[in-house]
Amino acid sequence: MTIALIDYGAGNLHSVHNALKAAGAADVAVTADPQAVLGADRVVLPGVGAFGACAAGLRAIPGMVEALHERVRRQGAPFLGVCVGMQLMADAGEEMGSHPGLGWIPGTVRAIAPAPGIRVPHMGWNDVVPTLSHSLIEPGQAYFLHSFAFTGDAVLATTDHGGPVTAAIGRDNMIGVQFHPEKSQRYGIALMERFLAWRP
C-alpha cells in the first residue's frame, strides 16, 4: 500500500512521515508528482502556515490539484488532511484576504475570535470531542497549534477554546483534522493506524 504524502512546501513532512511509519505504513512517498498521487492507495495532505500561502503552493505544482480531485474525489482514495491540509478542504480561507480552497467540504476558515482568558493562537493539548460517529475519530487529547478554524458542514469533532472549535471534518473517503497527529503521541499514532486500515 502506497501513501502519497504531498510535498508542496507547506508541511511538517519529516514528522508526518515518521508518524505514518510508526503507525505501520511501509511505503510512504513524499512527493510533488501528480502521477504519484494518481497511483497512490492513500493520500495525506499536511500543512503548516497561512491558508493563502498553502493554497498557492499547492496550485503552483502543475497538475497537482487536478490529480487530487481525480484520485480522491472521483476515484475515492482515502484522504487525510492535517492542520492547514484540513483547512484546504474548505471552500475558502480568510487569512490575509479571501483565498479559495479545494471546495471539498462546504465551509470557510476564519480567525478564532479573541476573548478574555482565551489566547490566540490556540496552542497546546486539548480534548477532541466527537460530534458525529466516525470510525477514525475517538475521544482523547491531541496537540493543537492554529489561529484560524473551520466553520461549516461535516464537523466530526470539536475542541473547546472559548467555545466549540472544529477539531475534525470529513465525509465519504475524506477526513481532516485540525490538530497535529504527528505531535499527539499515542493518540495521534492510533489515528494514523485507523487511517491506514480505513475502508470507506
Side-chain angles (χ1 to χ4, degrees):
M1 179 172 63
T2 302
I3 315 297
L5 178 58
I6 310 300
D7 179 4
Y8 61 110
N12 194 0
L13 290 168
H14 183 69
S15 295
V16 176
H17 178 271
N18 286 347
L20 285 165
K21 298 290 280 188
D27 188 359
V28 182
V30 177
T31 183
D33 181 0
Q35 290 303 314
V37 173
L38 291 171
D41 297 301
R42 292 168 194 271
V43 179
V44 178
L45 182 67
V48 175
F51 184 104
C54 290
L58 195 62
R59 290 189 168 94
I61 302 172
M64 180 58 78
V65 170
E66 292 79 5
L68 285 168
H69 281 294
E70 175 66 24
R71 188 69 188 104
V72 176
R73 295 303 305 276
R74 294 195 61 206
Q75 298 178 8
F79 172 89
L80 171 63
V82 175
C83 196
V84 181
M86 180 207 89
Q87 295 179 359
L88 289 172
M89 297 165 71
D91 293 319
E94 296 182 348
E95 189 169 1
M96 294 184 290
S98 182
H99 307 276
L102 292 169
W104 290 356
I105 293 184
T108 303
V109 178
R110 296 187 171 97
I112 298 173
I118 300 301
R119 293 184 177 182
V120 179
H122 173 211
M123 180 172 63
W125 291 85
N126 210 339
D127 291 332
V128 176
V129 181
T131 55
L132 294 173
S133 178
H134 193 283
S135 60
L136 267 63
I137 301 298
E138 294 186 356
Q141 283 203 329
Y143 186 85
F144 291 81
L145 177 55
H146 62 117
S147 299
F148 286 72
F150 173 90
T151 302
D153 293 352
V155 174
L156 301 178
T158 61
T159 191
D160 179 52
H161 193 64
V165 174
T166 298
I169 62 176
R171 63 169 42 143
D172 305 325
N173 58 305
M174 305 174 294
I175 190 164
V177 295
Q178 180 62 67
F179 54 86
H180 287 273
E182 75 279 10
K183 297 180 180 179
S184 297
Q185 299 179 11
R186 184 59 205 157
Y187 181 84
I189 297 301
L191 170 70
M192 295 287 202
E193 290 172 348
R194 293 191 294 274
F195 173 68
L196 294 175
W198 192 27
R199 297 290 185 271

